[in-house]
């Protein structure tokens, strides 16, 4: 008798505004899997530190905030701001913060499977994920998307500022020593520069089918 197939975990990593979240949500809905936006965890920790008047890069302060993070903070309405994004990137470079958030992410996907998006899902959180995507797009295309999102949210910022902040965050995320943003060796690279959400989803589904067909008993 063969061992039961492990629950399906799909890891989606990549830089800011590459289309990870949209793709992850669509894949999760299509496959009937739970979805976790892991960036919200780091944003919520960054927010807590800012609220207390602390420095998000202070390792002791950031780690204490991560260890005490109330789960309800994930639902805060103020996590999507550029300020929260930069604070998230600063706390995310602290090893104690990453360690504090790791088990929550793993237990989220372990039992029923899940789609998770972030920066280190395929490399650190779920290196055993059956399917991994690294979603990218040109820095210009990503900044433009974030700029449009901010406009739609009623909080417009100059495009040059959005682009500078996006680049700064990506550099910080890729350069940190602990769990840097990088593609897992077995990740499928998906460049969405010239793809809309529909085309990115179609490309991901085709790759997903090919991957799962190669794993005995893994088809959902
Ligand atoms: O994905 P999002 O832009 O919301 O992530 C905010 C920040 O949180 C990222 O810039 C990154 O520094 C951090 N992050 C991380 N690892 C993850 C998810 C997010 O380091 N798995």
């Amino acid at each position: 008798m063969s061992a039961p197939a492990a629950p399906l975990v799909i890891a989606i990593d990549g830089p800011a505004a590459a289309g990870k979240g949209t793709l992850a949500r669509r894949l999760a809905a299509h496959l009937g899997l739970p979805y976790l936006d892991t960036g919200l965890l780091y944003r919520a920790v960054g927010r807590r530190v800012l609220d207390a008047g602390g420095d998000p890069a202070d390792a002791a302060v950031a780690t204490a905030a991560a260890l005490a993070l109330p789960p309800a903070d994930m639902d805060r309405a103020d996590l999507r701001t550029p300020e929260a994004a930069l604070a998230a990137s600063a706390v995310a470079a602290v090893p104690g913060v990453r360690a504090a958030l790791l088990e929550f992410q793993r237990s989220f996907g372990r039992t029923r499977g899940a789609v998770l998006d972030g920066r280190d899902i395929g490399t650190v959180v779920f290196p055993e994920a059956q399917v991994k995507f690294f979603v990218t797009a040109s820095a210009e295309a990503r900044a433009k998307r974030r700029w449009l999102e901010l406009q739609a949210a009623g909080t417009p910022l100059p495009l040059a500022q959005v682009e500078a902040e996006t680049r700064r965050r990506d550099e910080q995320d890729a350069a940190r020593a602990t769990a840097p943003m990088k593609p897992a060796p077995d990740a499928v690279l998906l460049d969405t520069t010239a793809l809309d959400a529909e085309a990115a989803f179609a490309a991901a589904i085709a790759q997903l089918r090919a991957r799962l067909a190669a794993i005995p008993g893994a088809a959902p």
Side-chain angles (χ1 to χ4, degrees):
M1 208 169 75
S2 59
L8 177 60
V9 174
I10 301 179
I12 305 189
D13 292 304
K20 301 186 300 293
T22 305
L23 177 63
R25 259 186 296 275
R26 287 194 67 167
L27 285 175
H30 184 76
L31 298 165
L33 289 172
Y35 164 57
L36 182 64
D37 172 354
T38 65
L40 286 180
L41 293 166
Y42 295 91
R43 285 171 182 262
V45 173
R47 247 309 152 204
R48 279 270 157 183
V49 175
L50 292 179
D51 287 352
D55 174 4
D58 181 323
V61 168
T63 302
L67 287 168
L69 189 70
D73 270 29
M74 299 268 292
D75 301 323
R76 286 178 63 153
D78 55 0
L79 300 183
R80 299 273 176 208
T81 64
E83 190 192 22
L86 286 174
S89 185
V91 301
V94 176
V97 169
R98 306 201 73 84
L101 301 178
L102 191 55
E103 186 47 35
F104 175 82
Q105 297 172 79
R106 286 190 173 151
S107 58
F108 184 91
R110 202 180 280 136
T111 317
R112 292 175 49 210
V115 180
L116 299 95
D117 77 47
R119 302 293 185 289
D120 64 338
I121 308 302
T123 51
V124 175
V125 180
F126 277 105
E128 73 278 26
Q130 294 94 331
V131 184
K132 301 176 185 178
F133 291 102
F134 193 84
V135 184
T136 59
S138 72
E140 294 75 20
R142 292 186 294 105
K144 184 86 183 291
R145 285 178 199 160
R146 188 48 51 88
W147 179 70
L148 288 170
E149 279 169 19
L150 289 167
Q151 272 191 334
T155 51
L157 282 179
L159 179 59
Q161 182 182 338
V162 177
E163 187 164 343
E165 286 181 359
T166 306
R167 283 184 196 273
R168 181 172 149 210
R169 193 146 68 91
D170 291 343
E171 279 162 19
Q172 210 163 265
D173 291 344
R176 68 182 174 225
T178 308
M181 169 178 70
K182 64 175 178 197
D186 52 347
V188 174
L189 297 184
L190 191 60
D191 187 327
T192 66
T193 306
L195 302 182
D196 63 12
E198 190 60 41
F201 177 67
I205 285 288
Q207 292 285 351
L208 177 80
R209 290 214 177 99
R211 289 269 158 150
L212 293 183
I215 307 171

